[in-house]
Amino acid sequence: MSLTTLRQEIRHWLRKRRAILLAHNYQPPEIQDLADYLGDSLALSMMAANTPAEVIVFCGVHFMAETAAILCPNKTVLLPRLDVGCYMADTITPSLLRERKAQLPGVPVVTYVNSSAAVKADSDICCTSANAIKVVNSLDARRVLMVPDRNLALYTARHTDKEVLNWEGCCNIHDRLSAAEVLACRQAHPEAIFLAHPECRPAVLDLADVIRSTSGMLAYVRRAKATAFIIGTERGIIYTLQKENPTKQFYSPSPGLLCPDMKRITLPDVLTALQENRYQITIEEECRQRALRAVERMLAVPRD
Ligand code: SF4
């Protein structure tokens, strides 16, 4: 089937199923180009909750489709492949979290949305990379435990008076970006502004001109007068950035900033998902309710 026919066929099935296609900013260009909405994981899940569509086809990784299922219990959430995991989400399990909680009685657990529904369900509140500091500051506690991303916890700890205990998890993609790679890229492009994601190591964040989540990077570049940027996050976002800002230049500081799980879903997978109603992501109701409570507590934190 030609690419044009494949795209037409997917559009036909999206209409037939009253479905929308959501894609994370790290997805491959051909998926991004066909998506109804592009964004970060939480923005996409909230989009899913607010759309009249009956079926959500989520092009991202497993925990993202789970977040959509937490927020949209009456919709069918489809993940076109099941082998799209997340290294970071896999660094914590509900039983490991319960063990740690038992050692820290009374310490609230702040869980990054990059985690499974079952881990969210055992948390007090969720956070994103954009709101982690506000979420931690909103809690009536002197100490908090942040899971699973060590780097996000260390970054948050620098911007709050609270004691932030961390978990030894990370995104292996962001964590492997080194300060030496950033310095080399800066030397090659001295005019460029370096934007870093909070999932990067502290030594990398120390070199950043701007630290932002993916949606924060997109907003920053849109408004910036500068015309060259070094992008310290998964390189898939450069496609979105270049499309939105055709006259600006973008550089990735490392070939390692590529998440294989985010590149696995193909257009034929999307078509099969719609035709065969696969793979449906469901969450056991008691777990969903508890995870939803942690997400809703986060959404109730004032943004400014
Ligand atoms: S980029 Fe990192 S956090 Fe995002 S899905 Fe890949 S492994 Fe997980």
Side-chain angles (χ1 to χ4, degrees):
M1 200 184 290
S2 73
L3 183 60
T4 310
T5 314
L6 185 55
R7 289 168 57 94
Q8 285 168 348
E9 195 65 3
I10 291 171
R11 278 276 138 229
H12 162 75
W13 275 90
L14 284 167
R15 282 192 298 276
K16 183 171 169 171
R17 298 280 324 264
R18 292 179 51 80
I20 56 166
L21 185 63
L22 305 183
H24 191 272
N25 291 310
Y26 297 163
Q27 286 287 295
E30 63 277 16
I31 301 274
Q32 291 199 26
D33 285 343
L34 201 60
D36 294 297
Y37 298 102
L38 271 176
D40 59 29
S41 62
L42 186 68
L44 290 176
S45 293
M46 292 177 67
M47 178 65 68
N50 293 323
T51 172
E54 291 164 11
V55 177
I56 313 297
V57 183
F58 208 118
C59 293
V61 294
H62 195 272
F63 78 79
M64 296 179 180
E66 277 197 338
T67 308
I70 290 168
L71 289 168
C72 318
N74 300 320
K75 292 176 182 165
T76 300
V77 177
L78 301 178
L79 184 63
R81 289 180 72 123
L82 281 182
D83 58 349
V84 285
C86 166
Y87 180 93
M88 184 194 298
D90 290 346
T91 59
I92 187 164
T93 63
S95 60
L96 288 172
L97 177 55
R98 272 181 230 130
E99 266 176 41
R100 186 77 191 273
K101 280 168 67 171
Q103 296 160 359
L104 298 167
V107 175
V109 177
V110 180
T111 296
Y112 190 23
V113 286
N114 295 22
S115 56
S116 69
V119 168
K120 289 184 179 78
D122 267 324
S123 312
D124 293 281
I125 188 166
C126 286
C127 75
T128 67
S129 54
N131 66 15
I133 298 164
K134 284 198 175 82
V135 165
V136 165
N137 283 338
S138 76
L139 296 172
D140 185 17
R142 195 183 55 78
R143 289 207 301 172
V144 303
L145 171 64
M146 277 190 86
V147 301
D149 187 12
R150 172 202 346 110
N151 292 337
L152 181 62
L154 292 172
Y155 166 70
T156 305
R158 290 177 172 191
H159 298 277
T160 179
D161 293 336
K162 297 186 191 291
E163 185 185 354
V164 181
L165 307 173
N166 64 267
W167 187 267
E168 272 308 312
C170 69
C171 163
N172 59 340
I173 308 303
H174 288 85
D175 192 63
R176 73 166 68 126
L177 175 63
S178 69
E181 286 174 310
V182 174
L183 288 169
C185 195
R186 287 204 101 147
Q187 207 167 12
H189 308 287
E191 76 291 5
I193 289 180
F194 174 44
L195 280 78
H197 193 281
E199 288 173 22
C200 295
R201 287 168 178 251
V204 167
L205 296 185
D206 285 343
L207 298 173
D209 297 303
V210 178
I211 299 171
R212 291 283 191 283
S213 63
T214 51
S215 50
M217 285 186 190
L218 288 161
Y220 180 87
V221 170
R222 239 174 259 139
R223 286 193 295 263
K225 288 203 172 67
T227 56
F229 305 86
I230 296 168
I231 303 300
T233 190
E234 210 276 349
R235 51 202 305 150
I237 199 173
I238 292 181
Y239 183 72
T240 325
L241 285 164
Q242 196 68 76
K243 233 172 133 174
E244 285 191 2
N245 307 276
T247 60
K248 297 181 178 174
Q249 304 296 315
F250 301 97
Y251 307 102
S252 179
S254 168
L257 284 169
L258 195 147
C259 176
D261 285 276
M262 277 289 184
K263 310 301 181 205
R264 221 159 257 153
I265 293 173
T266 63
L267 289 179
D269 292 331
V270 174
L271 181 57
T272 309
L274 284 159
Q275 290 171 328
E276 299 184 9
N277 202 40
R278 77 180 201 195
Y279 295 92
Q280 202 171 334
I281 303 301
T282 54
I283 297 163
E284 186 269 317
E285 185 55 18
E286 192 262 345
C287 173
R288 189 191 74 80
Q289 290 281 355
R290 289 190 295 122
L292 180 64
R293 205 163 47 231
V295 174
E296 285 180 336
R297 279 192 73 187
M298 169 186 76
L299 296 176
V301 173
R303 290 187 186 190
D304 283 308

